[in-house]
Amino acid sequence: MKEIQSERLLETIERVYYNVPWYRSKMQEQSLGPEHIQSLDDLKHLPFTTKQDLRDNYPFGLFALPMSEIIRLHASSGTTGRPTVVGYSRRDISVWSEVIARTLTAAGVGKDDFIQVAYGYGLFTGGLGLHYGGEKVGASVIPISGGNTQRQLQLMKDFGSTVIACTPSYASYMAEAIKESDIPRNEFKLRTGIFGAEPWTDNMRHEIENKLQIKAFDIYGLSEIIGPGVSFDCEYQNGLHINEDHFIPEIIDPETKKVLPEGELGELVFTTITKEGLPVIRYRTRDLTRLHFDTCQCGRTLVRMDKCTKRSDDMLIIRGVNLFPSQIESVLLEMDETTPHYLLVVERKNNLDTLELHVEVEDRFYQDRISELQNLNRKIKTQIESTIGLSVNVKLVEPKTIKRSEGKAKRVIDKREIR
Ligand SMILES: [Zn+2]
């Protein structure tokens, strides 16, 4: 594995140095050329890449291939202004299918299965990612996309879906819906779930497994690296196996940015070593985890990572959508009627994440005329929703009622039990 990684790393460094001016100048700033990167040990000298770097190079600035070689574009959801855009070559799509095929295989999914892909199809990588991986293992793929729960249940029963792929919170919601429907459980053939795109704990796994009477597998990924399929659960579920022949993981201290010794908890960083369209060097995921190098009971030697439930920044993941409080803030700052004092309350109700925004209204706009306030409420709701791509309940509050803080403002109350 080390040999493969070394060889592929050197190829990748050549690729970005000669094809991506941004990486070339980053490396030159540190007096680094491709000749200084001789082996895996030199990885630690290379510059980091962040989500902001992708935004700054919007839309295609970090691509290492001409657009004529890019056959697919995806973009992150729920970001202000510039989303992060990712591009795939034909070979990238094939690598992506391969890593998801491994994920499905490890979950015991094969050609006799029916996979109901209830991740969103579109710019989000969930739907199409699972779709191509499902086809690769030869399963019958049902591209139903998210939502419309009654139709999900109908087709799940009629088609005999054996596998469901969606977010864990939607799986939990579906379990409730099955219970409330009059269809007896034994009319469903469902036995396996592939769940990801948001953090979830082992407790939630057991809850879903009990309620749906299936085995639930975790799939991890992020669009900047390739999408879902970066790492996956095997049948022993003692950490997610990383497809390290395509993505080299490192664990760093998020403050000092130094690589931490084996087994320590820190921020997960990935370098892609086979990607052609958008190779990324030392991408800071902001997810906190640790790596396990011992051989798994399943026999796979791929390094494992703990389930990610914590982050090193303030990003929230709500119903699969990434949300930074700063996005809310910038919308509020653009509106005269509001102050930048706000509070986000995230809850999990009926197994679905809900978002509530408390926002202070400017003194001069705060009046007794209910209709005015209702209009303002609607206006804020519309602006926020169109920016973040999530529904939100807006509560207008009187000026100076949101608690001020001396230090870092507390913007978020997360009541979900995912930590
Ligand atoms: Zn294993």
Side-chain angles (χ1 to χ4, degrees), residues 23-62:
Y23 274 118
R24 185 161 59 243
S25 60
K26 273 278 201 190
M27 286 176 65
Q28 283 168 347
E29 274 168 31
Q30 292 174 237
S31 309
L32 282 177
E35 70 278 12
H36 298 107
I37 309 302
Q38 298 287 342
S39 74
L40 270 188
D41 292 337
D42 298 322
L43 183 59
K44 60 178 181 288
H45 304 304
L46 288 161
F48 290 101
T49 311
T50 64
K51 200 175 185 66
Q52 191 58 44
D53 295 328
L54 266 80
R55 289 205 189 109
D56 291 345
N57 288 283
Y58 176 84
F60 312 136
L62 294 184

Side-chain angles (χ1 to χ4, degrees), residues 47 214 231:
I214 60 170
S231 66

Side-chain angles (χ1 to χ4, degrees), residues 88 111 164 186 218 272 356 370:
Y88 302 74
K111 63 185 172 54
I164 178 86
N186 61 18
D218 197 358
T272 68
E356 192 171 84
I370 299 284

Side-chain angles (χ1 to χ4, degrees), residues 234 238 241 296 298 300:
C234 68
N238 52 0
H241 287 282
C296 182
C298 73
R300 287 179 184 79

